[in-house]
Amino acid sequence: MPASSTILEARGLRKRFGTNEVLKSIDLSIAQGELVFLIGPSGSGKSTLLRCCNRLEEPDGGSIWVDGEDLLSPRTDLNRLRQRVGMVFQQFNLYPHLRVISNVTLALRKVRGLGRAEAERVGLEALEQVGLAHKQHAYPGELSGGQQQRVAIARALALEPRIMLFDEPTSALDPELVAEVLQVMRDLKQRGVTMLVVSHEMRFARDAADRIVMMEHGRIVEQGTPAEILAAPAGNRARDFMTDALH
């Protein structure tokens, strides 16, 4: 079992799709309050690793612990555990026919069983955290892409997760809308929210991350603080990747 300050820990994690071994014995620990950036070339296994961390993909081997609980145990209540592992995707996945507040409160009512009034109170607090309480009665189609992604973040936050997983949260946005989503993530970092982020926003990683982890060919090949990784990456591939990402 991981140390009490460890929110997420993967050990020997393996995943294959057919003959393609996507994750090759991954070891990764995320401490409480830590913001960890997961980088690497396309196809290196980053998104698969994230999806294994809340069992959207089923690992083929290894172990995953979330907040001291064995994610892969057959006794684990997966629905309850997923409330503790928030997930924000590249696409916003909002229900277009529901108002913002209803999108945010749907899981609170259906999964946690809250009444409408209590769910709306919690949902409005989450919307306030992302600066969109004033849009609670709007429909997703009335919002910009950046605002829709912030609603998706609020929806995850409303369940009070122990860790937030972000899978390329800005890649579907126009460049001028990226900054507002990154600012929300900065604010979450200041509040002590634990985050594991897959992204190519290397300037944000340099400024905000506690640690950068680089993957290649299904393995973690390098990790360290932003200063260590960005100033003097140990491998040529890491150096080339980050030089390209920062220009």
Side-chain angles (χ1 to χ4, degrees):
M1 183 179 296
S4 59
S5 63
T6 300
I7 298 299
L8 185 147
E9 181 160 12
R11 285 286 174 262
L13 198 63
R14 300 189 306 277
K15 177 65 181 177
R16 71 168 59 242
F17 296 103
T19 60
N20 183 21
E21 192 176 11
V22 180
L23 299 179
K24 304 172 182 176
S25 194
I26 295 290
D27 293 338
L28 180 67
S29 294
I30 312 294
Q32 184 171 351
E34 194 175 23
L35 170 54
V36 176
F37 244 69
L38 194 58
I39 67 170
S42 179
S44 59
K46 307 181 301 294
S47 292
T48 299
L49 174 56
L50 245 61
R51 293 173 67 85
C52 283
C53 287
N54 68 354
R55 280 181 61 186
L56 288 174
E57 298 288 354
E58 289 290 341
D60 293 316
S63 64
I64 307 172
W65 294 78
V66 176
D67 205 17
E69 187 168 350
D70 183 358
L71 183 68
L72 304 183
S73 169
R75 297 184 300 276
T76 294
D77 182 339
L78 196 53
N79 284 332
R80 182 180 60 81
L81 195 67
R82 279 181 176 156
Q83 296 177 49
R84 296 154 70 182
V85 185
M87 186 90 178
V88 177
F89 300 91
Q90 180 176 340
Q91 301 298 330
F92 320 127
N93 298 327
L94 301 178
Y95 292 102
H97 63 289
L98 296 181
R99 297 182 188 274
V100 163
I101 189 64
S102 296
N103 268 281
V104 173
T105 59
L106 187 61
L108 290 169
R109 299 180 65 198
K110 300 296 186 182
V111 178
R112 286 183 53 185
L114 298 185
R116 180 183 295 274
E118 178 65 7
E120 290 190 353
R121 183 191 67 78
V122 174
L124 189 56
E125 288 180 357
L127 285 168
E128 287 173 349
Q129 290 187 64
V130 301
L132 286 177
H134 64 294
K135 294 289 188 179
Q136 63 175 304
H137 298 304
Y139 288 98
E142 299 171 335
L143 305 179
S144 70
Q147 289 173 327
Q148 290 185 60
Q149 189 61 293
R150 286 154 61 193
V151 172
I153 294 172
R155 177 179 56 191
L157 284 174
L159 292 170
E160 299 180 325
R162 296 288 285 144
I163 184 169
M164 292 277 286
L165 310 178
F166 291 83
D167 191 5
E168 298 281 6
T170 60
S171 63
L173 301 177
D174 293 333
E176 65 270 18
L177 302 177
V178 169
E180 65 184 77
V181 174
L182 296 182
Q183 184 57 55
V184 168
M185 295 171 70
R186 283 189 176 90
D187 293 343
L188 296 179
K189 165 68 175 171
Q190 291 299 315
R191 296 190 190 107
V193 176
T194 307
M195 291 180 276
L196 177 58
V197 180
V198 170
S199 178
H200 292 281
E201 298 289 343
M202 294 306 301
R203 289 180 176 82
F204 177 71
R206 179 183 59 196
D207 296 340
D210 296 298
R211 185 159 41 109
I212 294 175
V213 176
M214 181 165 186
M215 291 184 65
E216 189 171 12
H217 302 307
R219 301 184 188 278
I220 292 176
V221 295
E222 194 165 351
Q223 60 180 306
T225 66
E228 291 168 342
I229 295 295
L230 296 175
N236 290 334
R237 185 66 186 88
R239 181 171 59 250
D240 293 344
F241 177 85
M242 283 177 283
T243 297
D244 290 344
L246 285 167
H247 290 87

